Amino acid sequence: KEQLQQLPEDALLDKVILVTGAGDGIGKAAALSYANAGAHVILLGRTQGKLEQVYDLIEQNTKTRPIIFPYDLNTLNPDIAREMAYAIEQEYGRLDGVLFNASALGSKMAIEQYPEQEWLDVMNTNVNSAFYLTKALLPLLKAADAGRILFTTSSVGRKGRAYWGAYAVSKFATEGLMQTLADELGAISQVRTFAVNPGGTRTAMRASAYPGEDPGDVPPPEDHMPLYRFLMSEAAEPFNGQSIDAYDYLS
Ligand code: NDP
């Protein structure tokens, strides 16, 4: 916690960071927070109007150069992922970090009833797209001085819970992808790989998963940002492969 507080305000100066699901919720807060710390952010999401609002806020408040990638992760394929990597290289010449944050919640339903197509959609959005993008972006991340890959997990991705269906299974897979990458990359590169479990956080997804909850009872995304900034920074170099509970580091 002390290390998070000591992180300089411009800890991410001139870094290039891709944030998925950057139009709303935790991804929006992270994109704004990274830009405020000096990073050029690539805003990926499926609703262009939301991404444009985040873009405008960054333009008004920072000297950084954001760009927008309006893509639906459910239909992302390896060719599109490679085109994105090419576009990033053309625009910035490098990539320092990726925050895999976008997720689909899917239905809360028993596995016995879970619709097959929805299962595939959730797995595409939450897991397969992260694999395609990681594969396409790894050459750029490995070439960076301090490449960072942050995945977003959940408590239902560590211990199975009834009726959380494909979402829970996708978060188990996310933990597995993170650990495998961390083990592969930690020894041979400067890339560091983490997963963050935000815990209950005041967003549209949370309201949809817990409709009876008073949103005021859970912290807003901004309270997690010191941790999200730290893990993207060079200060995270000594760490690798951890799955971290953001509640332990709330500001
Ligand atoms: P939100 O639903 O508030 O925001 C998710 C963002 O991801 C939205 O901007 C959404 O776009 C985007 N997104 C969703 N599906 C796609 C897709 N197919 N293609 C591109 N973009 C997409 O979620 P949160 O901010 O709450 O969640 C962020 C992460 O944190 C998720 O990985 C979630 O699993 C995790 N998490 C959240 C918790 C919480 O309490 N909030 C608790 C534990 C984990 P659009 O706005 O256009 O729909």
Side-chain angles (χ1 to χ4, degrees):
K1 235 181 175 175
E2 236 169 61
Q3 274 181 291
L4 303 197
Q5 281 153 11
Q6 285 162 3
L7 198 71
E9 270 180 25
D10 62 351
L12 303 178
L13 191 64
D14 272 339
K15 292 204 178 287
V16 178
I17 300 173
L18 169 68
V19 178
T20 73
D24 213 338
I26 296 168
K28 175 181 179 179
L32 294 172
S33 169
Y34 291 157
N36 285 332
H40 308 291
V41 284
I42 300 150
L43 307 166
L44 191 157
R46 64 180 164 184
T47 309
Q48 180 140 358
K50 290 186 181 181
L51 298 174
E52 283 168 0
Q53 281 180 12
V54 178
Y55 181 97
D56 288 346
L57 281 171
I58 292 173
E59 283 262 282
Q60 284 155 21
N61 297 305
T62 77
K63 293 193 172 67
T64 67
R65 285 188 294 128
I67 55 172
I68 289 177
F69 277 3
Y71 285 104
D72 184 339
L73 293 172
N74 184 20
T75 52
L76 192 104
N77 62 39
D79 288 336
I80 298 174
R82 280 190 289 270
E83 279 166 25
M84 272 189 208
Y86 182 72
I88 291 170
E89 195 171 13
Q90 291 300 303
E91 178 70 19
Y92 298 106
R94 63 181 195 285
L95 180 68
D96 298 289
V98 182
L99 170 62
F100 287 115
N101 158 83
S103 275
L105 182 60
S107 296
K108 294 217 355 226
M109 193 181 277
I111 296 289
E112 195 176 357
Q113 275 87 41
Y114 206 90
E116 286 81 358
Q117 187 57 48
E118 190 167 14
W119 178 279
L120 295 176
D121 291 343
V122 170
M123 296 306 265
N124 272 339
T125 301
N126 298 7
V127 183
N128 298 341
S129 67
F131 162 60
Y132 300 147
L133 281 170
T134 300
K135 202 174 159 187
L137 297 172
L138 261 182
L140 286 172
L141 290 165
K142 284 164 82 176
D145 292 339
R148 301 284 179 263
I149 311 175
L150 259 68
F151 291 94
T152 309
T153 184
S154 162
S155 49
V156 298
R158 295 170 178 164
K159 186 173 190 307
R161 200 182 301 166
Y163 313 125
W164 283 76
Y167 177 81
V169 175
S170 78
K171 294 299 184 182
F172 271 89
T174 298
E175 297 261 356
L177 179 57
M178 183 280 287
Q179 287 184 21
T180 306
L181 278 169
D183 205 32
E184 285 171 3
L185 298 170
I188 58 149
S189 75
Q190 299 300 315
V191 179
R192 300 290 177 262
T193 312
F194 305 103
V196 175
N197 168 24
T201 304
R202 200 180 307 156
T203 67
M205 183 188 284
R206 178 76 187 182
S208 145
Y210 294 90
E213 180 181 78
D214 177 350
D217 286 347
V218 290
E222 289 72 21
D223 287 8
H224 299 316
M225 291 308 122
L227 175 67
Y228 276 70
R229 279 196 301 273
F230 178 84
L231 293 173
M232 271 298 167
S233 77
E234 279 160 39
E237 201 271 335
F239 308 102
N240 189 36
Q242 284 90 353
S243 184
I244 300 159
D245 283 313
Y247 265 53
D248 292 341
Y249 299 92
L250 276 176
S251 63

